[in-house]
Amino acid sequence: MSDIIQLLPDHVANQIAAGEVVQRPASVVKELLENAIDAHSDHIKLIIKEAGKTLIQVIDNGVGMSDTDARLSFERHATSKIRAAEDLFEINTKGFRGEALASIAAIAHVELKTKLDREEVGTEIKIEGSEVVSQEVCVTPKGTSICVKNLFYNIPARRNFLKSNAVELRHIIDEFHRVAMAHPSIRFDMFHNGSEVFNLPTANHRQRIVNIFGGKTNEKLVPIKEETDLVTISGFVGKPEYAKRSRGEQFFFVNDRFIKSGYLNHAVNAAFEGLLKDKAHPSYFIYLKVDPKSIDINIHPTKTEIKFEDEHALYAMLRSTIKHSLGQFNVAPILDFNRDSSMDTPYEYKGKVAQAPIIEVDRNFNPFQEDKRIGSGSSSDKKYTTFKKESAASWENLYVGLESELDSTTPTENEFSSIEFESAEVTGSLFVSEDKKVGSHTTYQLRRKYIVTTIKSGMVIIHQNRAHQRILYEELLRNITMASAVSQQLLFPLILSFSKNESALLETVKEQLENTGFVFGALSLGEIEIKAIPSVVSEKEVSILFEQLISDLENEVPDTGFSQTDLLARSIAKSIAVRTGVELASEQQQYMANSLFACTEPTITPDNKPTFITLTVDEIDKKF
């Protein structure tokens, strides 16, 4: 039998390696931005076309490369950060495995221009599918410019698995955020299809966060700071009242590298215990500085997971640091028996000298003598307030005529019969009320979760939350398609704050939102003014509705208009549907049951979950 094992060609091996490194355009953006940071740049520009499918270009003003280094950078396992195996345990840079550029060059058209500061001319290299097409001298500014064109051009199957441009752009922006927040001392610019998306000047961590997520973010942040021998913790957490239903604004950075850690995330949630609403998630931007020898950052292909040497101590420190900051800034209640806030010196009195109080005493005052100074008119007596002392012997005079006054104020029975009471009319009910006779209701609410009603063949048990989702979904879908929604005008317009990306997402569904009943005023990047809302939505639910909608749009942005309308109706119905645990009146239960069976598809929710189950009389008889 002949030998069947053989070495793979380099270009095939590179394409296989690219499967680990390059999953989508955002992976290329991450690797190129990290290389630019390692080159000691202070200004990095990212240019994107067609969500990275057509072009990804990163321009930096770093140290640049010589012609030899430029050529070697595209070889596998070629890096300037590792010299020996021991260096893997003291890594302070971003890219260190030497596979990024080789993997990218295997599945795209790459053009590299680079120049050292001391050189007069630079080097230009063009590579297509791991093959060097040309290498020549060129005129270029100091630093490096790398273009990645036609990603996955030679692997059409991988290209077909890419999502829509909106989804891929969202992933690119997420990677851009993670890199930009870790390095506020570097200026970052981002352009997509010729328009500027971000312009982030050099700043500190707080200013960088505000520049990315909007000006309103500044008032939401609570600083945290702690230094120990094991770790240095700094950064910010969001105030509990600004917690969101999505996990969008949660960032951990270890030695200026973004990581994901469910263990540390649990520590943050433990610090917020008792302060958050149900299903709400706090925002945090936490920077950890640890000894590189105490972590292993090479356990995951994308290097977003890290193994810590002492996780339990880190958990306890992070939790206590956040709890201390929340108490220190009066965000959470604290028990401190050594300090009373009422004893604090007001700000306007700081630095002033305390004045000794002046005590004035009337040495001639005698409480057992009748005051003869009344009406004396002397100037020395005017500063005292005096009253005429009544004799104790005339106490009976206080009660003269009291009995006759009580008799005149006591109401008679005839007066009671004419009293009328005002009844408060309940308005704004979630369900349409119907006039019904007493005793005609055939519904019953079980544990504030299910509605039980009867049918000819037996009984029906309805899940109230899922049933209401189906009812609202079909109503919203009908209103959007026919533009026949009813709006309720707000006395005072609502102003909601969003980041640039969230505002751009809402802009894409603005027309459908208006068809559901929303009326917008000023719609700018960062703030949205709402003048009217749909009749089925209460004012306090608006912010929750938009948070849920943005979360759904970020996770699955549809391409076609109908899919977008369907997603919008599903998201709004999910946000405002009556929850489990809400007690419903008999009329509301009856309305829910009637409305559900009037739907075109009453059996399932918009997410394909069952809305009710039936029990026939035969099935009930079998139980006995």
Side-chain angles (χ1 to χ4, degrees):
M1 184 176 178
S2 60
D3 298 334
I4 59 174
I5 296 177
Q6 59 182 356
L7 291 174
L8 289 174
D10 288 342
H11 68 280
V12 177
N14 287 340
Q15 288 185 6
I16 295 173
E20 286 189 0
V21 180
V22 184
Q23 300 172 353
R24 56 190 346 139
S27 306
V28 178
V29 171
K30 174 181 180 292
E31 298 290 347
L32 297 184
L33 288 177
E34 289 181 347
N35 285 343
I37 293 170
D38 286 339
H40 308 293
S41 310
D42 56 19
H43 184 192
I44 299 175
K45 186 183 296 184
L46 172 64
I47 301 172
I48 302 293
K49 287 185 180 179
E50 299 290 333
K53 299 175 183 177
T54 303
L55 172 68
I56 300 173
Q57 183 177 9
V58 174
I59 304 172
D60 67 67
N61 61 350
V63 295
M65 292 182 285
S66 64
D67 54 352
T68 304
D69 288 342
R71 179 65 185 85
L72 283 176
S73 64
F74 290 99
E75 297 294 332
R76 291 192 66 194
H77 306 301
T79 178
S80 61
K81 287 100 179 182
I82 301 296
R83 290 290 182 268
E86 291 75 15
D87 294 341
L88 289 171
F89 302 100
E90 293 188 27
I91 294 174
N92 292 304
T93 55
K94 306 294 183 185
F96 58 88
R97 294 182 304 175
E99 296 180 3
L101 291 182
S103 300
I104 294 170
I107 54 174
H109 297 163
V110 180
E111 294 181 8
L112 172 70
K113 293 182 180 180
T114 183
K115 185 179 84 72
L116 296 171
D117 189 20
R118 61 178 183 271
E119 300 290 340
E120 294 184 357
V121 293
T123 303
E124 180 180 11
I125 297 178
K126 294 182 180 180
I127 299 178
E128 296 179 2
S130 296
E131 295 183 4
V132 179
V133 177
S134 65
Q135 178 175 351
E136 54 190 19
V137 176
C138 71
V139 177
T140 183
K142 172 205 168 187
T144 303
S145 169
I146 183 167
C147 296
V148 179
K149 302 177 181 178
N150 306 321
L151 194 65
F152 297 125
Y153 81 99
N154 53 354
I155 313 178
R158 290 289 301 273
R159 189 177 182 90
N160 292 336
F161 274 100
L162 295 179
K163 302 294 185 181
S164 64
N165 286 355
V167 174
E168 296 298 339
L169 178 62
R170 180 64 197 169
H171 285 286
I172 290 174
I173 290 176
D174 286 343
E175 292 292 350
F176 182 81
H177 284 174
R178 295 166 182 175
V179 174
M181 277 191 289
H183 301 276
S185 60
I186 300 175
R187 177 184 172 184
F188 287 90
D189 296 326
M190 179 177 172
F191 299 86
H192 180 243
N193 290 341
S195 61
E196 184 182 82
V197 181
F198 287 101
N199 182 4
L200 306 177
T202 302
N204 56 33
H205 282 113
R206 188 180 195 120
Q207 292 169 338
R208 179 55 57 88
I209 293 170
V210 171
N211 289 336
I212 291 176
F213 294 101
K216 294 289 183 179
T217 310
N218 191 37
E219 63 190 37
K220 306 176 185 178
L221 301 179
V222 176
I224 61 173
K225 183 71 176 178
E226 187 65 41
E227 292 187 13
T228 66
D229 295 336
L230 179 66
V231 61
T232 299
I233 303 174
S234 61
F236 305 91
V237 294
K239 295 180 180 178
E241 58 265 31
Y242 296 107
K244 295 185 177 182
R245 299 174 68 87
S246 60
R247 302 174 181 266
E249 298 178 2
Q250 296 184 341
F251 297 89
F252 279 115
F253 300 94
V254 175
N255 294 349
D256 293 334
R257 183 193 300 274
F258 172 80
I259 67 159
K260 297 177 182 178
S261 174
Y263 190 68
L264 296 182
N265 180 71
H266 190 276
V268 177
N269 290 331
F272 278 90
E273 185 177 4
L275 300 175
L276 300 176
K277 299 178 183 178
D278 186 30
K279 296 182 179 179
H281 303 284
S283 301
Y284 55 79
F285 311 88
I286 299 176
Y287 301 84
L288 307 176
K289 292 286 186 181
V290 299
D291 185 0
K293 295 181 180 179
S294 66
I295 59 175
D296 185 1
I297 60 179
N298 202 25
I299 64 172
H300 194 270
T302 60
K303 295 172 286 187
T304 55
E305 294 181 12
I306 287 180
K307 181 64 177 177
F308 293 95
E309 192 174 56
D310 193 352
E311 286 186 334
H312 297 289
L314 189 59
Y315 181 100
M317 290 178 188
L318 183 60
R319 178 176 174 271
S320 61
T321 300
I322 295 174
K323 287 183 72 72
H324 175 72
S325 292
L326 293 176
Q328 182 181 10
F329 291 93
N330 295 325
V331 176
I334 58 171
L335 285 176
D336 190 349
F337 299 101
N338 298 323
R339 175 181 175 272
D340 185 359
S341 59
S342 63
M343 302 296 292
D344 293 344
T345 304
Y347 183 78
E348 60 269 17
Y349 287 98
K350 287 186 177 180
K352 290 186 177 181
V353 180
Q355 297 180 355
I358 300 175
I359 302 175
E360 295 182 1
V361 180
D362 181 14
R363 300 186 182 278
N364 297 324
F365 175 72
N366 188 350
F368 301 101
Q369 291 181 351
E370 291 188 5
D371 198 346
K372 299 179 180 180
R373 294 178 298 174
I374 299 176
S376 61
S378 61
S379 60
S380 61
D381 296 336
K382 287 182 180 179
K383 60 184 177 181
Y384 302 105
T385 304
T386 58
F387 302 94
K388 185 177 180 180
K389 189 175 181 181
E390 298 289 342
S391 176
S394 60
W395 63 270
E396 296 92 346
N397 297 333
L398 297 173
Y399 300 95
V400 174
L402 180 62
E403 186 175 353
S404 60
E405 291 180 6
L406 289 173
D407 293 338
S408 62
T409 58
T410 304
T412 62
E413 294 182 1
N414 294 332
E415 291 174 336
F416 272 120
S417 62
S418 62
I419 294 177
E420 295 181 359
F421 295 93
E422 292 184 358
S423 61
E425 182 181 355
V426 180
T427 59
S429 177
L430 184 63
F431 303 96
V432 178
S433 60
E434 298 178 0
D435 296 333
K436 294 185 180 292
K437 295 180 180 180
V438 178
S440 63
H441 304 302
T442 58
T443 59
Y444 172 76
Q445 189 178 21
L446 178 63
R447 293 191 176 274
R448 298 183 181 181
K449 184 176 183 180
Y450 302 105
I451 298 173
V452 182
T453 185
T454 59
I455 56 176
K456 290 182 179 180
S457 60
M459 61 187 296
V460 177
I461 303 175
I462 302 172
H463 193 294
Q464 66 183 34
N465 175 259
R466 295 181 182 179
H468 201 207
Q469 282 188 42
R470 165 53 65 175
I471 297 167
L472 292 172
Y473 168 75
E474 294 201 1
E475 181 182 350
L476 290 165
L477 208 59
R478 185 166 54 251
N479 291 337
I480 294 174
T481 53
M482 300 178 63
S484 59
V486 179
S487 302
Q488 53 180 341
Q489 193 76 19
L490 296 177
L491 183 60
F492 300 103
L494 286 175
I495 305 295
L496 301 180
S497 299
F498 299 100
S499 65
K500 292 182 180 179
N501 301 324
E502 293 170 343
S503 300
L505 279 176
L506 292 176
E507 184 71 37
T508 61
V509 293
K510 180 184 176 183
E511 183 178 353
Q512 288 92 331
L513 286 171
E514 289 175 340
N515 291 338
T516 62
F518 284 98
V519 177
F520 296 100
L523 188 63
S524 60
L525 290 178
E527 285 190 352
I528 292 178
E529 181 184 8
I530 301 173
K531 294 183 176 180
I533 58 179
S535 57
V536 295
V537 181
S538 64
E539 187 174 345
K540 64 181 180 181
E541 293 175 330
V542 174
S543 60
I544 299 175
L545 185 152
F546 275 90
E547 286 180 13
Q548 181 69 46
L549 176 60
I550 289 172
S551 177
D552 292 340
L553 288 172
E554 287 177 350
N555 293 330
E556 44 174 336
V557 179
D559 294 326
T560 63
F562 177 78
S563 299
Q564 202 172 56
T565 301
D566 177 75
L567 174 62
L568 182 64
R570 279 194 290 120
S571 180
I572 296 178
K574 191 191 307 178
S575 300
I576 65 178
V578 62
R579 302 290 180 187
T580 297
V582 176
E583 186 174 357
L584 302 178
S586 298
E587 294 84 358
Q588 295 171 337
Q589 299 170 23
Q590 192 70 37
Y591 170 78
M592 182 88 78
N594 295 339
S595 299
L596 175 64
F597 292 110
C599 292
T600 57
E601 187 60 61
T603 57
I604 58 173
T605 67
D607 295 328
N608 296 323
K609 296 178 181 178
T611 58
F612 66 88
I613 60 172
T614 58
L615 287 176
T616 64
V617 176
D618 294 337
E619 291 174 340
I620 297 175
D621 290 339
K622 290 178 181 179
K623 301 292 183 182
F624 295 94

